[in-house]
Amino acid sequence: MKSIILCLLLLSSSGFTEPVHIDLRHRPPEMSIVDKKYYGPLIDIIKLLLLDANLEPQWLVIPWPRTLLRAKLGQVDIIPRHSMTAERERYLLPMLLGYEQRSIHYLLAPTIKNIERYHSPKHFGPLIFGLLRGSYYGPYIDNINTKVSTIYAHDINQLMSLLLAGRIDVMPIQNLSWAEAAYQQVRHLYTGLHYQIAEFKESFVSAKYISIPKRSPLATRFHQLNCKLFKLRNAGTIDSLYQEYGITPYLQIFENKESKQQLSSCLKPHVEQ
């Protein structure tokens, strides 16, 4: 599959004329940035999307919070691999990539007593949440994060420090190995203290997207590219690319609202079939 993509890109490279700015971040194994080289299935997918469209990718390494700001201003053309929130829907045109089974764990500060009494996030009540700015934690946190006391940070190590110091009470996180890695980075500052883990976790299916900001000039190509991504999903190409990198593919569900909305892009009169 990768060899075929490379040949197609070489054959069509002379047709690239319009630059497309793509904000990347190092999120292996889907997109990796090593020695100014970019690789991973997401890189290949974006190249396929731009193939034969007279569009030339220009890769930029940008921190996620800054990417969201650039998207609002129309300073970036493509944003790969993200979840969708009500806030992001205001300025992004989403192109469905697939679905991911996710779980959110809840870390509690060492000062919290009797953690067994917390059976769901609804029991946290007045506790102070610590969240990474610009991150998506699932439908529950997305619905309540404007209604509870919340402290935002740009770095997981900073959140862990705040948790151990008792300045925040609850720290949601998807991967417990990330939590332990952050703890190892800051533990020397908090001798004898350790975070606690609530006995429950939330599981849900989350859609993942590649998006075009509404204020980007590329927005005029949205239906064309969205239709092409739907066809790549439907043909099994997305699955094949992930498997070639040894990565479990996203779930591909087609009988639901998001997929039907994506298919509707293929029915627009100006979309090439």
Side-chain angles (χ1 to χ4, degrees):
M1 177 65 68
K2 284 185 283 187
S3 299
I4 293 172
I5 291 171
L6 179 60
C7 291
L8 290 172
L9 289 171
L10 290 174
L11 288 171
S12 61
S13 61
S14 60
F16 287 150
T17 56
E18 182 182 340
V20 173
H21 299 98
I22 304 159
D23 279 12
L24 296 180
R25 57 203 187 279
H26 185 59
R27 292 297 296 270
E30 289 183 82
M31 50 182 171
S32 299
I33 306 167
V34 179
D35 297 329
K36 297 183 179 180
K37 295 181 179 179
Y38 315 113
Y39 58 91
L42 279 171
I43 306 299
D44 293 344
I45 289 167
I46 292 173
K47 288 179 179 179
L48 277 177
L49 284 179
L50 303 183
L51 190 65
D52 298 327
N54 294 323
L55 299 171
E56 182 178 7
Q58 295 190 353
W59 312 98
L60 303 169
V61 181
I62 304 291
W64 180 239
R66 186 178 162 201
T67 288
L68 293 178
L69 177 59
R70 282 163 50 80
K72 293 177 182 179
L73 299 174
Q75 296 175 347
V76 57
D77 300 311
I78 291 181
I79 302 174
R81 192 195 177 282
H82 68 89
S83 300
M84 187 56 69
T85 65
E87 166 65 18
R88 294 173 190 174
E89 284 180 344
R90 296 189 181 102
Y91 56 88
L92 293 179
L93 297 170
M95 302 188 296
L96 183 62
L97 180 63
Y99 295 86
E100 173 183 54
Q101 182 69 47
R102 295 180 63 179
S103 293
I104 299 296
H105 303 268
Y106 289 88
L107 310 185
L108 302 177
T111 54
I112 301 297
K113 307 297 183 182
N114 302 319
I115 68 169
E116 65 276 0
R117 61 181 167 160
Y118 299 108
H119 303 297
S120 84
K122 296 178 181 179
H123 297 146
F124 290 140
L127 298 183
I128 300 173
F129 278 71
L131 304 176
L132 282 176
R133 189 174 299 278
S135 291
Y136 177 68
Y137 290 93
Y140 180 77
I141 297 297
D142 196 37
N143 288 333
I144 70 164
N145 63 10
T146 59
K147 303 175 184 177
V148 300
S149 298
T150 307
I151 293 177
Y152 291 95
H154 292 295
D155 180 82
I156 190 173
N157 293 349
Q158 182 183 4
L159 281 180
M160 180 58 71
S161 291
L162 293 172
L163 188 72
L164 296 176
R167 292 183 58 193
I168 60 174
D169 303 309
V170 185
M171 177 179 164
I173 194 164
Q174 178 174 339
N175 193 321
L176 289 177
S177 66
W178 300 346
E180 185 59 25
Y183 174 74
Q184 295 299 330
Q185 290 292 318
V186 302
R187 61 180 295 187
H188 65 284
L189 300 174
Y190 304 94
T191 304
L193 298 177
H194 200 284
Y195 60 87
Q196 305 178 85
I197 305 175
E199 295 180 357
F200 69 92
K201 65 180 179 179
E202 288 184 281
S203 295
F204 56 95
V205 174
S206 175
K208 290 294 184 182
Y209 297 92
I210 297 171
S211 283
I212 299 173
K214 293 180 180 179
R215 297 184 64 178
S216 162
L218 193 63
T220 59
R221 304 278 198 107
F222 167 69
H223 289 298
Q224 175 189 354
L225 298 177
N226 194 33
C227 174
K228 189 167 185 178
L229 185 54
F230 176 84
K231 291 178 178 179
L232 292 175
R233 291 177 57 221
N234 195 45
T237 305
I238 303 295
D239 289 352
S240 296
L241 286 172
Y242 274 80
Q243 289 165 353
E244 288 220 8
Y245 283 91
I247 306 170
T248 300
Y250 285 112
L251 300 171
Q252 296 298 348
I253 306 168
F254 294 97
E255 299 301 322
N256 60 0
K257 179 182 68 175
E258 293 90 355
S259 282
K260 290 178 180 178
Q261 288 175 341
Q262 188 175 37
L263 173 60
S264 69
S265 280
C266 297
L267 306 178
K268 301 296 180 180
H270 60 280
V271 175
E272 295 181 4
Q273 298 296 324

